[in-house]
Amino acid sequence: MCGIIGYIGGQDAAPILLKGLKKLEYRGYDSAGIAILGAGGLTVRKSRGAIKNLEEKIEAELAGGVLAASMGIGHTRWATHGEPSDVNSHPHTDVSGTIAVVHNGIIENHVRLKAWLQKHGVVFRSETDTEAVAHLIDLHYNGDLLQAVVEAIKRLEGSYALAVISRDDPDRIIAVRKESPLVIGKGGGENFIASDVPALLEYTRDVYYLLDREIAVLYRDKVEFYNGDGQSIEKNVAHVDWDAGAAEKDGYEHFMIKEINEQPKALTGALRARIQADTTDTGQDAQGAMPVKAINLQEIGFDSSWAKANRVVITACGTAWHAAVIGKYAFERYARIGTDVDIASEYRYRNPISNPQDIFIIISQSGETADTLAAMRMAKKSGARVIAITNVVGSTLAREADLVMYTWAGPEIAVASTKAFTTQLMCLYLIALQFGVLRDVLSGEELAQSIKALEDISGQAERILKDKETIQRFAARHFSKSKVFFMGRLFDYAVSLESALKLKEISYTHSEAFAAGELKHGPIALVDESTLVVAICTQTALFEKMESNIKEVKARDAATLVITYEDVNYFDQSADEVFRIPRLPDGLSPMLSIIPCQLYAYYCAVQRGLDPDKPRNLAKSVTVE
Ligand code: F6R
């Protein structure tokens, strides 16, 4: 996730900006840059890669006093639009190099804005959405930078935290945010901007939290606040008493629980801009009341030519492979197309039968997993077309695939994957549903119902997270169980696979997943009083079958937890405990039913005194075989 820093005061700005950027490194980034405004005018320096690359680049200038200035803005970039490169790094400037802007977020209407700005003669240098903001502010600039920012943000759609400086309006920095974080630090004779509190703690603990569309204007000796229309407002200062470690994690104890809690936002990010009013229709339904919505994947280039495929093959490793298993069920259900799922490390050593009519979907959070990349290259060699689902812009997978669908989950720091998984699912569902539309096998009614459910999921995930203490209490009672089995049928079986992996990797508990129908074919021999069985029950037509399985394990003294919908009382008699999640169409349930299982794994690890962020023997990105 991008990081923003800003400084105005009496000290040399560049070293403070560099130090602040380092404090924001934990957010993840692929390039860094600063813009300073001093006697020498506006100077921008930026570099791909680590902050030390930037430091090395400006070392001589810093030592020679060339970059002396007492105000400036800085940025660490996590690429979204355009690969990591010097030119795509922030700050971005207008054509004349008068205004400099750093940005965190996504400007969703940047394509339209860019076309409009180009009509006004603007020549773009980068592939970023942010550059449009710099040009837009310049176009509205009429001697007052604040007014230009007010006018510019009226035209921005999407999310943004922005810091802006101008050579023509020196001695102040303008900051504004919508849906991306930004805090203002209040010092004595100096003021600061940062994406997160940790970057400020060395200088001040007095902060202002900007709300959506609020603007801060920072001078050396004061900060003024305005609403999005440019009217003056008052804000209260808050005092931060967290330590630096907690501040990096936004007050959470670990990155993993922070990332679990980020899922509502991440799910919105993966969905947003991919659902639109259907332009092929009148925009009204049969009754003329509701706007008709459609899935729009033109952004990734997924058009009707892809619907001619005979078969889909989904390949990945680990958690991403579990997403693939759910993808198989989704493709069969919504698009009625035969779908094979392969573990990438197996696929690459088999002698698989594939042909140019196949579509491959390759899933990888990092986009760098060695086995996954090898499977992708084999698929491409066979002449098949490849869609990548990944979280990392500019990753090898993103560069080599034919189409890329980004998960937009933001950097995942904890080793155990959580928000990457649920956003991978969101992407798979969108492709599966759109496939169903293009293949003419999905009814308008089911599409409308599914789109509505996808739009509701973020709020429903939030409701589950509000109830996390229930899972925490359950973990406190059962964390010492030596065996934990997850079971379910269809989509619930796939969620069981991911749940068992989460639990084993961070709490070192022996956990397994079973297709519940397989219980009698062997696994039940393991069940005794030292076993916890978590039954995931969201496939309504199979409730009876699941109830029989629950009774079978209870009869062998296992403790049982059922995860089901909030309106289902079916399991109240058979299970020891029932955790309820909001109702949604059965096929889409994995995006919610996994959340209590992630929480369970997290709280078990904490109960066992382990660090869930850094499980033993595991690495975040497996770039070797
Ligand atoms: C588990 C986990 C791993 C990864 C796997 C693939 O929590 O994170 O199983 O899912 O190593 O990684 P990516 O998705 O980066 O290819």
Side-chain angles (χ1 to χ4, degrees), residues 317-320 364-366 369 415-417 501-502 505 622:
C317 295
T319 287
S364 171
Q365 187 285 130
S366 61
T369 301
V415 165
S417 201
L501 177 68
K502 281 293 86 87
E505 67 184 333
V622 186

Side-chain angles (χ1 to χ4, degrees), residues 256 319 416-418 498-506 598 601:
M256 183 177 175
T319 287
S417 201
T418 52
E498 172 59 6
S499 306
L501 177 68
K502 281 293 86 87
L503 187 62
K504 70 173 71 129
E505 67 184 333
I506 61 166
Q598 294 168 338

